[in-house]
Amino acid sequence: MHDCALHSITPRYSQAMLQMAERLGITLPAHLVERLAGVSRVPITWQDELWEAFCAGSDDPLIGLRLGLEIQVGHLDSLGMLLVTCDTLGEALEELVEYAPVIGDGGEFHLHRDRSTVFIDYQPHLRTRQAERVEAVLASMLNLTRWATGGRFRPDGIWLAHSPLTDPARYEALTGCPVHFEAGCNHLGFAPEQLELGQIQANSALRDHLRQLTDQTLAELGHQGLSAEVERLVRLNPRWGKERLAEALGLSGRHLNRRLAEDGLSFKSLRESVLQDMACRALTEDRRIASIAEELGFSDENAFTRAFRRWQGITPAQYRSQR
């Protein structure tokens, strides 16, 4: 697998999507389902494809919101259990802010307050179906917080940065709380005193054990941070070769290859994985293929076509027409 763990999510979240799709009769491409079997982490590019197929296959624009309202503790891996075994809601939210990468790196959480309201913010780093996925995240927070507090949690509302995807009244009917749109942020708000709400599954001994496991998971993810940085730099500078990129990291080309080899990777395979993803995304836009080839660092359109055929088994033009 070329995608490193820091650009991935827990497979249990993907399984929640597959389960809901099966129950609702949403047909997903077989190759998307098959490659999720037995993986320890799901690359974010795979998750992007899954979300696109999941939303496109549904006739409900609020499918993301509905998914979030069905997410269970087990779908969030060890972090889900850690959150619900905390003594209070406030403690659980602090753990969420710190350990969110265990679930996935699609966004960040922040906790802040003004004089009358506490907000748990979600800042997404998503390019595919962002509105639906943000709604899924906030709906899952709402649902799990209600469950963990025995139904005592009372939100002031949900604020979304995007416009409503359908009749706003449906949002409030599904969530049971006010939903505000085009708010410039994505967060769940509630009264400060609710931070002190006790949780029905509180268990300090189990919490401490789960925190150790979660610390270990974070350390393992952090160990693969070099490949994440290589991916980031390739996306920003797709024309760079190994030596120039290694120089930006303060390494020699040989040292970079040696470090990546420790994780079973190579610069060539990692770069090609990123270029393939960038090419597929660019081909969904109304752009000349020659322009895409130049942007990705190929000498000409023919060289790009040969590489793309090797990656996808078809030409860029055929890929575009199929999309």
Side-chain angles (χ1 to χ4, degrees):
M1 187 189 312
H2 296 160
D3 303 75
C4 78
L6 283 179
H7 284 272
S8 60
I9 69 162
T10 171
R12 290 180 175 84
Y13 192 90
S14 296
Q15 289 302 320
M17 298 178 69
L18 299 184
Q19 292 162 8
M20 187 174 190
E22 182 177 4
R23 181 169 57 78
L24 296 179
I26 299 173
T27 301
L28 300 174
H31 75 278
L32 294 183
V33 178
E34 291 168 359
R35 68 185 181 185
L36 294 174
V39 296
S40 58
R41 299 285 292 187
V42 176
I44 201 70
T45 53
W46 292 10
Q47 189 70 3
D48 288 346
E49 292 182 56
L50 181 59
W51 265 103
E52 182 58 43
F54 182 68
C55 294
S58 171
D59 58 3
D60 186 355
L62 295 189
I63 189 66
L65 189 77
R66 290 170 56 195
L67 172 69
L69 293 172
E70 293 189 12
I71 290 293
Q72 302 174 21
V73 170
H75 292 137
L76 304 184
D77 219 311
S78 59
L79 178 57
M81 289 300 299
L82 171 59
L83 297 180
V84 300
T85 54
C86 291
D87 291 335
T88 65
L89 173 60
E91 181 186 341
L93 293 179
E94 290 175 358
E95 299 283 23
L96 174 63
V97 170
E98 181 174 357
Y99 292 113
V102 170
I103 305 173
D105 70 335
E108 303 172 26
F109 292 93
H110 301 280
L111 191 63
H112 71 93
R113 70 170 73 190
D114 61 20
R115 280 176 289 185
S116 60
T117 310
V118 174
F119 298 99
I120 178 70
D121 289 314
Y122 179 64
Q123 297 180 354
H125 307 313
L126 304 165
R127 293 170 296 181
T128 303
R129 295 286 182 173
Q130 178 168 296
E132 290 92 339
R133 292 163 82 172
V134 166
E135 290 179 5
V137 169
L138 292 180
S140 63
M141 282 201 299
L142 174 65
N143 181 51
L144 293 177
T145 300
R146 282 172 169 160
W147 179 84
T149 58
R152 291 174 294 156
F153 177 67
R154 296 289 183 270
D156 288 348
I158 291 174
W159 283 257
L160 297 170
H162 57 265
S163 302
L165 303 181
T166 187
D167 181 1
R170 281 201 63 205
Y171 284 86
E172 297 197 15
L174 286 170
T175 62
C177 71
V179 181
H180 311 276
F181 302 95
E182 299 178 0
C185 57
N186 301 292
H187 56 215
L188 177 66
F190 52 91
E193 55 267 23
Q194 295 199 67
L195 290 171
E196 304 304 320
L197 286 175
Q199 301 204 122
I200 59 175
Q201 297 289 325
N203 183 325
S204 57
L206 180 56
R207 176 205 60 205
D208 292 343
H209 175 65
L210 289 166
R211 189 178 288 146
Q212 291 177 358
L213 292 178
T214 310
D215 281 335
Q216 180 180 347
T217 301
L218 271 186
E220 291 170 354
L221 294 177
H223 176 66
Q224 299 180 33
L226 176 62
S227 50
E229 185 64 11
V230 169
E231 282 196 12
R232 187 186 70 83
L233 287 174
V234 170
R235 289 187 185 278
L236 291 175
N237 309 280
R239 303 177 66 88
W240 283 9
K242 179 181 66 178
E243 295 299 331
R244 187 170 181 185
L245 190 141
E247 182 181 356
L249 293 171
L251 303 171
S252 67
R254 292 180 61 185
H255 190 196
L256 174 61
N257 262 348
R258 191 161 57 247
R259 290 275 303 277
L260 290 173
E262 293 174 0
D263 291 329
L265 302 170
S266 72
F267 175 76
K268 183 177 184 297
S269 64
L270 198 57
R271 181 174 183 269
E272 288 217 342
S273 176
V274 174
L275 292 183
Q276 179 181 355
D277 177 59
M278 293 177 70
C280 289
R281 292 176 186 276
L283 287 167
T284 64
E285 303 169 359
D286 185 19
R287 298 173 52 192
R288 293 172 55 249
I289 292 177
S291 173
I292 297 172
E294 181 181 5
E295 177 185 305
L296 296 181
F298 290 90
S299 56
D300 55 34
E301 184 176 338
N302 289 334
F304 172 58
T305 297
R306 287 194 298 272
F308 194 86
R309 188 192 293 274
R310 187 175 71 252
W311 298 333
Q312 298 288 127
I314 55 178
T315 68
Q318 290 170 330
Y319 179 88
R320 172 171 279 170
S321 65
Q322 289 180 8
R323 296 288 289 184

